[in-house]
Amino acid sequence: MTKNLELNNYLVSTMQKIFDPIPVPLILLDRNTQIIMINDIFANYLGYEKSYIIGKKVQDVDKYSRFPYVFQTKKSEIAWKHKFENGHTGIVHRIPILDENGEVDYGFGMVLFQDMEQFRDIIEKNKLLETEIKHYRNRLRELSGAKYSWENIISRSIIMNEIKSMGRKASMTSSNVLILGESGTGKELFAHSIHNDSRRHLDPFVKVNCAAIPEELLESELFGYVDGAFTGAKKGGKIGKFQLANKGSIFLDEIGDMPLNMQSKLLRVLQEREIERIGSNKTQNIDIRVIAATNKRLEELVEEGKFREDLYYRLNVMSIEIPPLRKRIDDIESLSKLLLKKISKQLGKYVNEISHEAMDYLKSHDWPGNVRELENILERAVNLTDNNRILTRHLSNYITKTKKEITIGPVKSIKEIIEKAERKAIIEALTYTKGNKLKASNLLKISRSNLYDKIERYNISV
């Protein structure tokens, strides 16, 4: 033990001799986040004597240090902006060093830039390059914005695996895709994944929220305009989203909110594969794939005269309906783990466990807000917990007050019995009418739109 201690002291002393002359702040921690080496420049930067620092835990010297989080995640943080307890702000690296078993043995840190002025000087010297990079990065984000793939979509449940399989098949074609589902179910993730898995994945993916753009601006956003097209038009004109998405995919979110006059213009684009800018009399050919999404029932809007029937059929070539979270309970545990990783990274607070009782509450909730609501609930819980585990008391009251009774044994719930009876009645009615939905709805004394909903809900093949 004495020899090992002497060897350890010798190694630390040798490292100090090596690192002290280096004009870059450096630090070395042991597995318990105790500081075993720091060079002079870093000690001076922190405002302490080196003898005071050695042997202390890193958060005793800098309470804002993220090293404890880095040790738990076992993942490096490279070029992070960090504000030290003494008020300095620098750009730092934090690197966990793992042993042969994959456990943290040491932690190595360095301050890349000791203050933001130093960092800004470097940026200023490369201003032209930075400007060009920023410009092309923004253009790339705008033109090729698909950042999710099938791996980002959790699917432990049978129903979700089937929906993903259908999505993969849709990605292999050039047909238009209509994605249906309640708000917060992940329609945009499917749109990204379909594009990324298609032959167009190297070309642009452009997103448009039809509900977020005022009606009077939507046409210019989609199709662009020429110089002098109208008062206030940008000099030189503007390229529309369809032209930006040429050769790639355009994602029209909330398509059910598109005004009727724009629906007719969109229909023409889908039919003729050409666009015309506002103020121009020239058409431009485009090669584009449309992926549309909505949380509304388009067939009902068609019946009400709020959505063009011909456009509905143009869009509804490949239809994918994403089930709400309450119909994919088997995914909640895996989804929660994935979301906890995301939230922990955002908040810098390592939480990776949910108690069995808390998970039971999560699984029994109806989730009207779907995955988006689940993420909000977990973020709140992470903020309230004092360790790495979420307990029932960390969940919102409305979650814990609405826990459903769990069915025990072979007894089925009333809801299950009713759904089974409805499914059987619909199948019998459709068989009797040889698939005629209007006649079947009359026999069942329900509206045709209600019949369509139930056919989809119960996954009945017609």
Side-chain angles (χ1 to χ4, degrees):
M1 288 179 65
T2 302
K3 287 183 178 180
N4 286 339
L5 184 61
E6 290 175 352
L7 178 61
N8 186 58
N9 290 336
Y10 171 75
L11 290 174
V12 171
S13 175
T14 303
M15 289 172 68
Q16 289 286 176
K17 290 177 182 178
I18 294 172
F19 288 129
D20 269 339
I22 298 175
V24 177
L26 303 171
I27 192 170
L28 185 69
L29 316 178
D30 67 13
R31 65 182 61 192
N32 298 314
T33 72
Q34 281 187 311
I35 301 169
I36 56 176
M37 190 284 297
I38 187 169
N39 61 356
D40 288 331
I41 190 173
F42 203 168
N44 293 334
Y45 180 71
L46 294 174
Y48 295 110
E49 292 291 332
K50 189 190 294 184
S51 58
Y52 172 80
I53 295 174
I54 300 294
K56 282 193 165 47
K57 291 206 169 188
V58 68
Q59 285 190 312
D60 292 336
V61 177
D62 176 25
K63 66 181 179 181
Y64 301 124
S65 174
R66 287 173 56 90
F67 259 114
Y69 176 75
V70 169
F71 276 25
Q72 288 179 309
T73 61
K74 301 176 186 177
K75 292 182 180 179
S76 300
E77 292 184 344
I78 304 299
W80 277 65
K81 180 181 177 182
H82 179 71
K83 185 170 184 178
F84 291 88
E85 189 175 349
N86 60 10
H88 289 307
T89 300
I91 305 297
V92 305
H93 295 338
R94 304 182 189 92
I95 303 169
I97 301 170
L98 308 182
D99 62 19
E100 61 274 8
N101 298 317
E103 298 300 321
V104 175
D105 220 352
Y106 297 98
F108 176 75
M110 66 180 294
V111 180
L112 199 60
F113 297 101
Q114 297 178 42
D115 58 59
M116 296 309 294
E117 283 302 319
Q118 184 185 17
F119 182 57
R120 290 188 189 98
D121 287 343
I122 298 293
I123 296 300
E124 192 65 33
K125 290 175 184 176
N126 298 278
K127 193 170 184 179
L128 179 60
L129 178 61
E130 181 203 17
T131 302
E132 289 180 352
I133 290 173
K134 185 177 180 180
H135 170 72
Y136 288 114
R137 184 182 291 137
N138 289 338
R139 293 291 290 170
L140 182 62
R141 189 182 294 115
E142 183 181 16
L143 297 177
S144 305
K147 55 184 178 180
Y148 302 113
S149 62
W150 299 118
E151 288 70 30
N152 297 115
I153 302 174
I154 297 295
S155 57
R156 301 290 183 268
S157 60
I158 295 174
I159 186 171
M160 202 60 180
N161 281 326
E162 290 175 351
I163 298 299
K164 274 180 68 174
S165 177
M166 185 178 293
R168 289 179 186 276
K169 290 177 182 176
S171 66
M172 304 306 292
T173 74
S174 293
S175 300
N176 297 327
V177 180
L178 180 61
I179 305 174
L180 305 169
E182 296 177 7
S183 178
T185 51
K187 297 186 289 296
E188 186 171 339
L189 265 68
F190 268 79
H192 282 245
S193 302
I194 289 169
H195 173 81
N196 269 331
D197 200 25
S198 73
R199 64 175 179 81
R200 299 174 183 264
H201 69 280
L202 296 177
D203 294 302
F205 176 80
V206 177
K207 299 173 287 184
V208 180
N209 189 321
C210 300
I213 303 173
E215 183 176 344
E216 62 272 14
L217 299 179
L218 188 56
E219 183 176 1
S220 63
E221 282 293 317
L222 292 179
F223 306 124
Y225 54 81
V226 297
D227 190 6
F230 50 83
T231 303
K234 188 187 295 184
K235 189 176 181 181
K238 178 182 178 180
I239 295 176
K241 301 294 188 183
F242 273 95
Q243 194 173 348
L244 287 173
N246 194 30
K247 302 295 183 183
S249 305
I250 188 166
F251 174 46
L252 300 177
D253 199 8
E254 306 295 351
I255 189 71
D257 292 293
M258 178 176 281
L260 275 170
N261 67 314
M262 283 304 302
Q263 292 178 27
S264 60
K265 293 176 181 178
L266 174 59
L267 178 63
R268 184 176 181 275
V269 173
L270 297 180
Q271 289 174 334
E272 306 299 331
R273 296 289 167 180
E274 62 184 24
I275 61 168
E276 186 176 306
R277 289 199 206 182
I278 297 174
S280 173
N281 55 8
K282 294 181 181 179
T283 60
Q284 295 175 296
N285 293 328
I286 57 168
D287 172 19
I288 201 167
R289 183 199 204 169
V290 173
I291 304 173
T294 181
N295 59 4
K296 298 183 177 179
R297 290 291 175 186
L298 292 186
E299 61 270 22
E300 291 181 7
L301 295 181
V302 169
E303 289 183 0
E304 295 168 5
K306 295 179 181 178
F307 201 87
R308 292 183 63 108
E309 187 174 20
D310 43 7
L311 176 59
Y312 171 64
Y313 289 121
R314 279 282 179 182
L315 294 172
N316 194 26
V317 179
M318 294 288 291
S319 179
I320 300 172
E321 181 161 9
I322 305 174
L325 190 55
R326 61 184 171 274
K327 290 190 177 180
R328 40 184 293 220
I329 300 300
D330 292 344
D331 290 337
I332 287 180
E333 189 165 352
S334 300
L335 266 172
S336 298
K337 289 179 180 178
L338 182 69
L339 290 171
L340 279 182
K341 287 183 181 178
K342 174 186 173 183
I343 294 166
S344 291
K345 186 174 182 180
Q346 288 174 344
L347 301 180
K349 186 175 181 180
Y350 189 74
V351 179
N352 67 340
E353 289 183 29
I354 302 175
S355 72
H356 292 302
E357 185 182 9
M359 182 56 68
D360 285 343
Y361 277 106
L362 294 179
K363 288 182 177 180
S364 65
H365 184 57
D366 275 339
W367 298 112
N370 293 294
V371 180
R372 193 175 294 128
E373 182 187 4
L374 174 61
E375 184 172 357
N376 289 340
I377 290 296
L378 291 176
E379 182 173 346
R380 177 185 185 274
V382 169
N383 279 312
L384 292 177
T385 185
D386 296 320
N387 48 43
N388 68 333
R389 195 165 191 243
I390 292 175
L391 304 175
T392 302
R393 68 173 183 271
H394 301 134
L395 301 178
S396 297
N397 290 338
Y398 80 91
I399 298 288
T400 56
K401 285 181 180 179
T402 58
K403 186 174 180 181
K404 302 171 189 172
E405 293 298 325
I406 299 172
T407 302
I408 301 174
V411 180
K412 293 184 177 180
S413 67
I414 294 293
K415 184 180 177 183
E416 286 178 295
I417 295 170
I418 292 172
E419 287 179 347
K420 185 176 180 181
E422 277 190 343
R423 190 176 193 279
K424 182 180 179 182
I426 291 169
I427 292 172
E428 288 177 354
L430 289 170
T431 302
Y432 181 79
T433 61
K434 297 180 180 179
N436 189 310
K437 298 184 186 66
L438 179 59
K439 291 181 179 179
S441 65
N442 289 335
L443 281 173
L444 295 166
K445 299 190 186 305
I446 60 175
S447 68
R448 187 167 63 173
S449 61
N450 197 3
L451 176 62
Y452 279 124
D453 286 347
K454 291 181 184 297
I455 288 173
E456 290 182 2
R457 187 191 309 163
Y458 300 137
N459 195 24
I460 298 171
S461 300
V462 182

